[in-house]
Amino acid sequence: MSTKDASNAGDSDLLASQLDDQELVCQKESDDGVESTPEKQSTDLEECSEASTSTVTQPPAMGPEITNDVVRDKNVMVTNTGHILSLPQFGLRDNLIKVDLLKQEGTYTYIHDYRIFAGTYNVNGKSPLQDLKPWLSYDTEPPDVYCIGFQEIDLSKEAFLFNDSPKQEEWFRAVSVSLHPSATYAKIKLVRLVGMMLILYVRQELAECVTEVEVETVGTGIMGRMGNKGGVSIRFMFHSTSMCIVSSHLAAHTEECERRNQDYKEICTRMRFLQTNLPLSSLTIMKHDIVIWVGDLNYRICHPEAETIKKLIAAKDYQNLITYDQLSKHKKSMMIFRGFEEGALNFQPTYKYDIGTDNWDTSEKCRVPAWCDRILWKGNNVKQLDYRSHMALRISDHKPVSALFQVGIKMINQDLYKKTYENIVRSLDRMENDSIPSVSLSKTEFNFENVKFMQLHVQTLIIANNGLVPCQFEFITKLNEPSYCKPWFSATPNKGILIEGDRIEIELEVYVNKTTALSLNMGTDKIEDILILHLIRGKDYFLAISGNYLPSCFGSSLHTLCCLREPIRDVPHKRIQELEQKAKENKYGDCLSNELQLDIPKEIWTMVNYLHRNAALQGDLFQQPGLKSEFEEIRDCLDTGIPDFIPGSNHSICEALLLFLDALPEPVITYNLYNKCLESANSLTQIEQVVRMLPQCHRNVFNCLMAFLRELLKHASSNNLDVCILASTFGALLLRPPPSIVGQYEPVVNKKAAQLFISRLLTLQDG
């Protein structure tokens, strides 16, 4: 996906994005699971209304039903209210009505102010042993909406590896009993990813006004999967205003500012909400009227002397202090949070304190104080009433932060809405047969040169409605093909509506990942395709996609790479195709006939040897992600020749090794031995027998990796590794379930069995 932030571009662009049915490039992995509170505690609000008939003759009616159960009774209100503009999407006429309603909403809506409380707290893995009312019930007047984000609610390995945590229930209960006592609240939604959690509450009487609730999570940990860092979010309609609340935890450490920026961009790019009333369509964070972003953003005060900073804090010289704040600097340079606003920082930094006190960090590291915990917002009709920290809470080494907003929400005047609706229908009746739709395209040929593995290429197509009537466009599937495009391509949005005289930009993206790399490496697929852009009631337009792919060791088989002594970029497609075909025919055999093989692929040896020599003492190995730019340099070095020195940090090389293993078409432990491995996980003797059954090059790679990981464990006091972390990380990559049985097994059970299998080999023990 593109790394640039999405932004609103008018009604037509908004609707087109809602109609987009693009397949997500980054699907949620098993580690990115969304959990809400247990059923015995709550039932989440229904997320969409039922579809009605396909012929629109009357304005959609509202018929909410909600219970009287409230969060103080440990229950949650239920509603199946549909947003008044959420018309069923059956055809051009219905869509045109919706477009016109959006275009004319100023004629039937008015603004009503509500108070929204936004809060964030990094709780450092602690339990809620202190009353949260000084934070959550701080204001005299109760808010109408609460959005409360947490980070690090659980720092245990179980939470990190399996996204399972009893702390979720502890903190949910603590929050629920600490909401403002002058009002009654309903929990709308709770979402958690590892230690990040976000809860949305509204006043009971407003629950029926909250509809179209969706949640999403994005892990930005190593390989873009691990959820120790990333974001969780809830989007919803409040009356007729779309809102998105994001809670995030970005990369730590003062020097990792570039990785924090990368985490932010990843969240913006990958956070996509599937729309239940528009099948297969998705919305990004920025395609909402109002966005509130809370979290431990981890941006630091960049100054070498902690004492100098503490003196400025003691003097309350926050104006001078903010000149050293990384977030303020990067936001000002438009690198991140473009278009967002933040209130004045008139409170002292919220990190780092000795737990249980208001004293600055006295540990050996003696951290420089920082405003890690922040709240920003984007949108119209938003006024921040207060922005503050809450020093009374001493549970964590962070202090909680909150902001109180007065937000203008669009409300519907039912009489004016009905009148507008009827006028639109009458106008459509008169216009429907007057003319056929017509568009012009900025160009019809697009060439993507030198496409590389996991490197996004984007070009823009502009569609302009030059006809006399609105038009609905869509990229349609060609005969006998499963999709409108090849799997390495996407158009965003791939369907939409244009009012006469309007135009829209379509992003055409080429992105090669592990599922598409092999066929492109072999030359059996090429960067070539024909797209058909169809106008409802109009003509078809044809777009030609062309380009070239640069072969990569990423996505190639171990058998093939062991046969290549030269860099893969120097190898003809035909040669790669021959080797891959032989590997496929003899994938469980020991060698390829008439081929002189290396013991292990030179690319694996290069990365493992470098890490063994240079990274054994590096902290947080295989736990902290690297930089995308460095991965691209590492990939190019491996694909073009074996360098004496691999570019990039140790973390980037670790991540490149994991991505290499993940992209193998046949995993290191071959698919045919998957079940046998799980069955033998309790016996080291049986495990060793299974390993001896691997094809020779697979066995060599496996033994090399195990020896390397055992060496790393000898330095665990320095690199913070343990058997559990390594076994879980490598178990998921070396021991992957065959695609044919996905969905037929218990993921968590099998993941734990794979972890046990690897841990036995790391410790060389049965118990």
Side-chain angles (χ1 to χ4, degrees):
M1 304 301 300
S2 172
T3 55
K4 61 182 180 294
D5 297 341
S7 60
N8 288 318
D11 289 340
S12 63
D13 191 30
L14 172 61
L15 192 66
S17 73
Q18 291 173 331
L19 291 168
D20 170 25
D21 68 355
Q22 175 193 3
E23 180 177 336
L24 300 183
V25 172
C26 297
Q27 296 290 344
K28 292 200 302 182
E29 304 289 344
S30 59
D31 289 326
D32 291 349
V34 175
E35 298 181 5
S36 39
T37 51
E39 278 188 15
K40 63 181 180 181
Q41 290 296 328
S42 65
T43 303
D44 289 326
L45 289 172
E46 295 293 326
E47 297 180 4
C48 67
S49 60
E50 296 295 327
S52 61
T53 59
S54 60
T55 302
V56 179
T57 58
Q58 294 294 329
M62 300 182 67
E65 292 182 2
I66 69 171
T67 71
N68 291 321
D69 298 325
V70 293
V71 74
R72 297 188 190 283
D73 297 325
K74 300 185 180 67
N75 289 305
V76 177
M77 312 186 66
V78 180
T79 179
N80 57 9
T81 306
H83 178 234
I84 196 164
L85 294 184
S86 296
L87 298 178
Q89 304 300 308
F90 291 97
L92 177 61
R93 183 183 177 86
D94 295 333
N95 286 324
L96 290 178
I97 291 173
K98 181 168 183 177
V99 169
D100 274 346
L101 283 171
L102 288 171
K103 196 174 182 181
Q104 299 181 41
E105 67 177 0
T107 64
Y108 58 84
T109 60
Y110 61 96
I111 299 298
H112 181 78
D113 289 336
Y114 288 93
R115 293 166 68 90
I116 296 179
F117 177 103
T120 181
Y121 196 7
N122 182 323
V123 299
N124 192 227
K126 303 297 187 287
S127 295
L129 302 178
Q130 191 178 352
D131 186 1
L132 303 182
K133 285 189 177 68
W135 172 37
L136 300 177
S137 297
Y138 181 83
D139 300 294
T140 304
E141 184 179 339
D144 299 300
V145 178
Y146 275 102
C147 37
I148 304 164
F150 290 95
Q151 304 81 43
E152 295 188 356
I153 65 166
D154 196 332
L155 296 176
S156 69
K157 289 184 175 64
E158 290 74 21
F160 176 68
L161 299 175
F162 302 111
N163 196 27
D164 183 27
S165 174
K167 294 287 186 74
Q168 171 180 312
E169 184 63 21
E170 288 183 19
W171 280 99
F172 170 61
R173 288 175 180 271
V175 169
S176 297
V177 299
S178 300
L179 302 180
H180 205 290
S182 299
T184 304
Y185 294 90
K187 188 205 82 174
I188 300 298
K189 204 72 174 178
L190 180 153
V191 57
R192 181 179 65 80
L193 174 63
V194 187
M196 296 174 287
M197 186 168 76
L198 178 63
I199 319 176
L200 175 67
Y201 299 88
V202 301
R203 291 175 75 149
Q204 175 186 357
E205 61 271 24
L206 296 174
E208 64 179 1
C209 306
V210 178
T211 59
E212 299 183 31
V213 182
E214 303 284 350
V215 301
E216 189 54 89
T217 68
V218 168
T220 60
I222 197 158
M223 296 178 66
R225 294 182 186 173
M226 291 300 188
N228 55 321
K229 294 294 189 290
V232 297
S233 62
I234 304 173
R235 65 88 50 195
F236 58 97
M237 294 295 301
F238 188 26
H239 287 288
S240 293
T241 295
S242 62
M243 300 188 68
C244 182
I245 313 299
V246 183
S247 177
S248 67
H249 192 192
L250 308 185
H253 308 304
T254 302
E255 67 277 9
E256 296 292 352
C257 205
E258 187 176 348
R259 276 210 308 116
R260 283 188 278 281
N261 293 352
Q262 177 177 295
D263 286 352
Y264 164 78
K265 293 171 184 176
E266 279 283 301
I267 293 168
C268 289
T269 299
R270 292 169 50 200
M271 194 78 78
R272 289 179 174 267
F273 305 92
L274 295 180
Q275 299 296 282
T276 50
N277 64 324
L278 296 172
L280 301 181
S281 67
S282 62
L283 280 178
T284 60
I285 292 171
M286 304 305 172
K287 296 291 186 180
H288 290 82
D289 297 326
I290 294 171
V291 180
I292 298 177
W293 196 305
V294 308
D296 177 2
L297 306 185
N298 252 324
Y299 288 94
R300 305 304 174 94
I301 290 175
C302 198
H303 194 286
E305 297 296 331
E307 290 306 315
T308 301
I309 296 303
K310 290 174 185 177
K311 288 178 182 178
L312 290 173
I313 296 169
K316 297 188 184 301
D317 189 359
Y318 302 133
Q319 202 65 27
N320 192 9
L321 192 63
I322 204 169
T323 61
Y324 302 105
D325 176 60
Q326 291 176 334
L327 176 57
S328 300
K329 288 181 178 180
H330 284 251
K331 185 174 175 296
K332 188 175 182 180
S333 66
M334 307 293 281
M335 295 177 65
I336 50 168
F337 288 102
R338 183 177 299 180
F340 279 83
E341 298 181 57
E342 184 182 21
L345 292 166
N346 291 325
F347 51 88
Q348 69 182 50
T350 54
Y351 176 84
K352 179 181 183 182
Y353 295 86
D354 289 338
I355 293 174
T357 76
D358 294 333
N359 302 324
W360 297 115
D361 177 29
T362 58
S363 69
E364 184 180 347
K365 293 182 178 179
C366 193
R367 302 279 192 193
V368 176
W371 282 299
C372 289
D373 311 281
R374 312 288 276 266
I375 299 174
L376 299 94
W377 78 92
K378 182 177 185 177
N380 297 323
N381 301 313
V382 180
K383 178 182 179 183
Q384 190 177 71
L385 303 178
D386 202 2
Y387 190 26
R388 60 277 174 118
S389 66
H390 301 269
M391 296 294 293
L393 269 69
R394 302 180 177 89
I395 299 170
S396 169
D397 53 359
H398 290 249
K399 299 295 183 182
V401 170
S402 69
L404 185 66
F405 297 100
Q406 177 179 291
V407 179
I409 299 296
K410 288 180 286 188
M411 311 278 285
I412 289 178
N413 180 309
Q414 296 287 353
D415 291 337
L416 292 177
Y417 168 75
K418 183 178 180 181
K419 182 179 179 180
T420 304
Y421 181 93
E422 291 171 348
N423 288 339
I424 290 171
V425 171
R426 281 194 293 268
S427 176
L428 280 177
D429 288 341
R430 291 192 300 267
M431 181 178 64
E432 204 159 40
N433 296 315
D434 286 351
S435 180
I436 60 172
S438 173
V439 299
S440 63
L441 307 182
S442 55
K443 60 179 182 175
T444 57
E445 296 182 359
F446 297 86
N447 185 44
F448 294 84
E449 293 184 351
N450 298 330
V451 175
K452 299 178 182 179
F453 180 79
M454 286 185 66
Q455 186 165 322
L456 181 69
H457 292 248
V458 183
Q459 295 190 40
T460 301
L461 163 69
I462 300 175
I463 304 176
N465 184 345
N466 59 5
L468 302 177
V469 292
C471 67
Q472 183 173 356
F473 67 87
E474 178 180 3
F475 288 100
I476 60 173
T477 302
K478 297 183 285 293
L479 186 65
N480 299 324
E481 295 194 9
S483 174
Y484 72 89
C485 65
K486 290 190 176 180
W488 39 259
F489 182 88
S490 64
T492 308
N494 63 10
K495 60 170 66 174
I497 293 176
L498 286 173
I499 303 300
E500 53 270 34
D502 210 347
R503 53 189 278 163
I504 187 173
E505 291 187 357
I506 309 294
E507 287 191 348
L508 305 180
E509 301 180 348
V510 171
Y511 185 79
V512 177
N513 58 20
K514 63 181 182 180
T515 62
T516 54
L518 179 60
S519 58
L520 289 164
N521 277 338
M522 296 170 62
T524 55
D525 190 12
K526 296 181 179 180
I527 305 296
E528 293 178 359
D529 202 2
I530 298 293
L531 305 182
I532 303 175
L533 180 66
H534 175 67
L535 293 190
I536 307 298
R537 296 177 55 245
K539 62 182 286 189
D540 291 341
Y541 299 80
F542 296 89
L543 278 66
I545 307 298
S546 62
N548 67 295
Y549 180 69
L550 299 178
S552 176
C553 60
F554 289 82
S556 297
S557 70
L558 292 179
H559 276 297
T560 295
L561 293 174
C562 281
C563 294
L564 297 179
R565 294 180 177 272
E566 66 270 48
I568 196 168
R569 291 267 183 91
D570 296 340
V571 180
H573 281 303
K574 186 176 181 181
R575 166 74 169 152
I576 298 174
Q577 186 174 358
E578 289 173 354
L579 290 172
E580 290 292 357
Q581 189 60 38
K582 289 180 181 179
K584 185 177 180 181
E585 294 169 356
N586 189 41
K587 60 183 175 181
Y588 303 136
D590 275 341
C591 64
L592 299 180
S593 59
N594 303 321
E595 296 291 348
L596 181 62
Q597 289 188 293
L598 302 169
D599 290 334
I600 65 172
K602 57 190 178 300
E603 295 83 2
I604 291 181
W605 183 88
T606 299
M607 289 186 282
V608 169
N609 182 59
Y610 181 91
L611 291 171
H612 178 251
R613 290 172 176 270
N614 299 283
L617 303 180
Q618 175 77 55
D620 297 328
L621 276 182
F622 296 110
Q623 300 168 73
Q624 181 173 312
L627 292 171
K628 277 188 174 181
S629 57
E630 292 182 350
F631 165 74
E632 292 170 359
E633 293 177 356
I634 295 165
R635 176 206 58 211
D636 288 346
C637 279
L638 296 175
D639 288 343
T640 57
I642 302 303
D644 295 328
F645 181 81
I646 304 180
S649 68
N650 291 335
H651 293 303
S652 294
I653 297 170
C654 282
E655 188 164 21
L657 175 60
L658 297 181
L659 288 168
F660 181 96
L661 297 173
D662 187 49
L664 289 172
E666 184 82 21
V668 175
I669 296 178
T670 50
Y671 286 134
N672 66 316
L673 295 177
Y674 176 76
N675 287 326
K676 192 176 290 292
C677 288
L678 299 188
E679 293 165 0
S680 66
N682 287 306
S683 168
L684 180 60
T685 301
Q686 293 181 35
I687 289 172
E688 290 173 336
Q689 290 174 353
V690 174
V691 172
R692 285 195 289 272
M693 298 169 66
L694 288 169
Q696 184 176 342
C697 65
H698 285 252
R699 185 168 64 249
N700 291 344
V701 169
F702 185 80
N703 289 333
C704 171
L705 291 171
M706 290 301 102
F708 166 58
L709 298 181
R710 284 193 288 266
E711 282 296 311
L712 290 181
L713 288 172
K714 293 178 181 179
H715 305 281
S717 60
S718 299
N719 57 35
N720 301 324
L721 286 172
D722 61 30
V723 171
C724 185
I725 290 173
L726 288 179
S728 178
T729 301
F730 281 84
L733 298 174
L734 304 180
L735 193 56
R736 304 200 309 257
S740 60
I741 71 166
V742 171
Q744 303 175 21
Y745 64 96
E746 294 291 336
V748 173
V749 173
N750 284 27
K751 186 175 180 180
K752 289 183 177 180
Q755 177 183 337
L756 180 61
F757 181 92
I758 300 298
S759 65
R760 296 272 189 247
L761 288 165
L762 293 179
T763 61
L764 298 177
Q765 295 177 359
D766 268 321

